């Protein structure tokens, strides 16, 4: 809308630089009677009337105010176009970053899932050794701690992934729609 307004301003300022040609036509009925009734009688008969046509042409010479106004409107238009392009680039960059964040966090979930699975297998193996009397309580606790840490990283990766999805929806302008949120405008 701002760009359309700027376009109209440029067009208006550009029109102020153009020459003007005005055509005027007038027609009048007059009465010369001393009383009102007689005047109206003459008007009906068209005894007394006047008509005129005038043509006026003007060409602005050295119209600095109009030229300055035109240049100002044109600069405002150009600034608005550049602002719009900059905003489009920022949105595109934001969307690319959000997509990368989603992809990265998805890979983090995969890696954290593998690490969690390995920690579970290591704890299971160490527990079997402990039950057989081949390991110590300290080693089992150490593997339990490693598993808890791996589970925590896996949970954090899922949270990061969900945050990245929300950021992507926000960048695409779909946040409210995806969450089925309807905003009613107040009139």
């Amino acid at each position: 809308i701002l760009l359309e307004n700027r376009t109209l301003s440029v067009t208006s300022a550009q029109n102020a630089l153009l020459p003007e040609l005005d055509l005027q036509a007038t027609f009048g009925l007059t009465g010369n009677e001393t009383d009102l009734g007689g005047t109206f009688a003459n008007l009906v008969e068209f005894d007394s009337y006047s008509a005129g046509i005038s043509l006026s042409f003007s060409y602005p010479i050295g119209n600095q105010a109009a030229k300055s106004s035109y240049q100002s409107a044109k600069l405002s238009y150009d600034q608005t176009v550049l602002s719009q392009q900059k905003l489009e680039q920022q949105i595109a960059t934001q969307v690319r970053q959000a997509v990368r964040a989603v992809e990265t966090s998805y890979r983090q979930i995969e890696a954290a899932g593998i690490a969690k699975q390995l920690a579970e297998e290591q704890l299971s193996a160490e527990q079997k050794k402990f039950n057989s009397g081949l390991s110590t309580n300290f080693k089992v606790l150490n593997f339990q701690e490693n598993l808890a840490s791996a589970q925590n990283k896996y949970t954090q990766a899922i949270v990061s992934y969900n945050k990245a999805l929300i950021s992507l929806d926000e960048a695409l302008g779909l946040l409210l729609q995806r969450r089925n949120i309807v905003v009613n405008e107040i009139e």
Side-chain angles (χ1 to χ4, degrees):
I1 292 173
L2 184 60
L3 192 59
E4 289 175 13
N5 288 340
R6 297 285 192 237
T7 302
L8 290 175
S9 295
V10 169
T11 303
S12 175
Q14 192 175 20
N15 286 341
L17 295 172
L18 299 175
E20 268 184 49
L21 180 63
D22 295 327
L23 173 67
Q24 281 186 334
T26 58
F27 183 79
L29 298 174
T30 57
N32 294 328
E33 294 292 327
T34 57
D35 66 342
L36 193 58
T39 301
F40 283 122
N42 283 342
L43 287 177
V44 173
E45 296 172 2
F46 296 107
D47 287 340
S48 180
Y49 63 89
S50 63
I53 295 179
S54 68
L55 188 63
S56 169
F57 177 77
S58 65
Y59 184 81
I61 298 175
N63 192 357
Q64 294 302 320
K67 288 178 184 176
S68 172
S69 177
Y70 171 71
Q71 290 299 325
S72 176
K74 195 172 176 189
L75 286 174
S76 292
Y77 172 81
D78 291 343
Q79 285 176 338
T80 303
V81 168
L82 289 174
S83 293
Q84 183 176 353
Q85 289 172 349
K86 182 180 176 184
L87 182 61
E88 289 171 357
Q89 289 173 351
Q90 287 173 341
I91 291 169
T93 300
Q94 187 179 9
V95 169
R96 277 193 301 272
Q97 288 173 343
V99 168
R100 272 190 238 120
V102 168
E103 291 171 351
T104 301
S105 58
Y106 184 77
R107 287 188 204 114
Q108 286 175 343
I109 289 174
E110 291 175 337
I114 292 169
K116 184 179 97 168
Q117 183 180 359
L118 290 175
E120 288 171 350
E121 290 172 3
Q122 288 175 339
L123 176 61
S124 177
E126 196 63 31
Q127 188 71 41
K128 287 178 185 174
K129 285 182 186 179
F130 178 74
N131 292 341
S132 302
L134 299 173
S135 181
T136 63
N137 207 10
F138 177 75
K139 286 186 177 181
V140 172
L141 288 174
N142 210 11
F143 282 107
Q144 286 177 344
E145 188 177 307
N146 289 344
L147 175 60
S149 177
Q151 288 172 332
N152 186 31
K153 288 180 182 178
Y154 182 74
T155 303
Q156 287 176 348
I158 291 173
V159 169
S160 294
Y161 177 72
N162 286 324
K163 284 182 179 180
L165 286 176
I166 290 170
S167 294
L168 179 60
D169 284 347
E170 182 181 11
L172 293 173
L174 301 173
L175 188 60
L176 296 177
Q177 182 182 358
R178 297 268 171 109
R179 304 297 180 267
N180 295 322
I181 299 172
V182 178
V183 177
N184 294 325
E185 293 184 22
I186 299 173
E187 294 182 22

